[in-house]
Amino acid sequence: MTIKEIARLVDGEIVGAPADDNYEVKKAFASDLMSDVLRYSMDETVLITGLCNNQTMRTSEMSDLRVVLIGRDKQPDEDMLELAEDLEITLIKSKYSIFKISGILYGAGIQPLY
Amino acid sequence: MHYSFDIERGNFADAGQASSSVKRTLKHLGVDPANIKRTVVALFEAEINAIAHAYGGRIDVDIDDGKIVMVVADQGPGIPNLDLAMQEGWSTASPQVREMGYGAGMGLPNIKKNTDDLKIETTVGVGTTVTMTVNLT
Ligand SMILES: Nc1ncnc2c1ncn2[C@@H]1O[C@H](COP(=O)(O)OP(=O)(O)O)[C@@H](O)[C@H]1O
Ligand SMILES: [Mg+2]
């Protein structure tokens, strides 16, 4: 699934780095705990999180994440958006809860990490 | 090649800058992505620990053809029970640290998993030095 398709499914807005239409997302992982994110391979994975700060961006950078879905209507500040652009990470902002986002993406065929 | 970075106590806004800089360097050097990932995940966890649990410190990174050696040395308070600290899920992180997404108690286990050698020297009241080696061959 493309980043734009995911954004459409969760009624989200794309911010940070522009969406790469050639990047295919196959899996998702939902967590607000950054050390848990750092434990797994994040290939072809979207991180779904309610944690919206620079730490989200740094963790994503170390994990080689290309796309992060911020739920619960959290608003990234200027610093975070700038960091996302620098790190070439696309952010999708959604008003939905993490549970609702996860349900929608699971129903649409996105796979869990485990 | 040698690189060093200062870590400032409690400076979460800049946390990860050292790991980020090392990541860029390793990419530039053409180190393979799997080794880059384990190196920067380990360094990032150690960097966060020095900011979250200690009073800041210093990072020294040495890169040669065969290995990457990273030393994260902080100025206290030390770790009273290292066996406990190494356990998955054990954490004394403050509520503020948890709010920032840390404190899952997975940092030291993550470091162990991602490195080929891990040495932790710690003295209560003095500080902790974490030495991590990643073999590139
Ligand atoms: N540099 C350090 N100085 C003092 N205590 C530390 C340090 N690193 C780790 N610790 C202790 O070990 C515990 C476990 O660390 P870690 O596995 O990284 O989990 P977390 O950072 O999520 O708490 C910490 O909660 C803290 O009590
Ligand atoms: Mg930690």
Side-chain angles (χ1 to χ4, degrees), chain A residues 35, chain B residues 45-46 48-55 72 74 76-82 84-94 97-98 101-111 122 127-130:
Chain A
S35 285
Chain B
E45 289 283 13
I48 295 294
N49 280 352
I51 296 168
H53 307 300
Y55 314 144
V72 180
D74 68 54
I79 305 174
N81 186 335
L82 195 52
L84 211 50
M86 289 304 299
Q87 277 179 23
E88 294 192 354
W90 169 263
S91 176
T92 62
S94 65
V97 169
R98 285 174 204 274
Y102 300 110
M106 295 309 299
L108 291 172
N110 272 355
I111 293 173
T122 184
T128 302
T129 299
V130 178

Side-chain angles (χ1 to χ4, degrees), chain B:
Chain B
M1 265 163 299
H2 180 91
Y3 302 88
S4 59
F5 309 87
D6 284 321
I7 321 171
E8 223 181 292
R9 180 180 186 171
N11 186 351
F12 280 97
D14 291 343
Q17 278 189 1
S19 309
S20 177
S21 160
V22 168
K23 183 172 186 180
R24 280 193 302 272
T25 302
L26 295 177
K27 258 188 178 168
H28 211 74
L29 292 171
V31 173
D32 88 279
N35 279 331
I36 294 181
K37 178 157 183 200
R38 48 199 200 102
T39 302
V40 300
V41 164
L43 183 59
F44 184 52
E45 289 283 13
E47 186 181 355
I48 295 294
N49 280 352
I51 296 168
H53 307 300
Y55 314 144
R58 184 186 155 94
I59 300 179
D60 284 282
V61 181
D62 280 283
I63 306 169
D64 66 35
D65 284 347
K67 64 180 189 309
I68 303 168
V69 180
M70 302 170 278
V71 181
V72 180
D74 68 54
Q75 284 123 27
I79 305 174
N81 186 335
L82 195 52
D83 287 338
L84 211 50
M86 289 304 299
Q87 277 179 23
E88 294 192 354
W90 169 263
S91 176
T92 62
S94 65
Q96 294 94 302
V97 169
R98 285 174 204 274
E99 251 166 52
M100 269 172 297
Y102 300 110
M106 295 309 299
L108 291 172
N110 272 355
I111 293 173
K112 175 98 191 140
K113 194 181 86 184
N114 283 290
T115 53
D116 294 300
D117 189 64
L118 168 64
K119 196 170 77 191
I120 302 176
E121 294 152 295
T122 184
T123 309
V124 172
V126 179
T128 302
T129 299
V130 178
T131 305
M132 303 167 283
T133 306
V134 171
N135 295 330
L136 295 175
T137 42

Side-chain angles (χ1 to χ4, degrees), chain A residues 23-38:
Chain A
Y23 188 68
E24 199 182 336
V25 178
K26 293 185 177 158
K27 296 171 283 182
F29 185 65
S31 180
D32 285 359
L33 289 172
M34 294 300 107
S35 285
D36 279 345
V37 177
L38 291 165

Side-chain angles (χ1 to χ4, degrees), chain A residues 45-89:
Chain A
T45 303
V46 55
L47 171 66
I48 305 168
T49 185
L51 187 81
C52 185
N53 59 24
N54 278 2
Q55 303 322 124
T56 317
M57 298 326 309
R58 287 296 177 202
T59 302
S60 302
E61 175 188 15
M62 304 313 153
S63 295
D64 296 325
L65 274 156
R66 301 272 308 275
V67 49
V68 177
L69 207 170
I70 314 266
R72 297 204 292 267
D73 202 21
K74 302 281 179 203
Q75 301 300 326
D77 63 15
E78 279 307 313
D79 257 18
M80 184 172 163
L81 291 176
E82 211 174 289
L83 203 50
E85 274 173 49
D86 286 351
L87 299 173
E88 293 177 356
I89 296 170

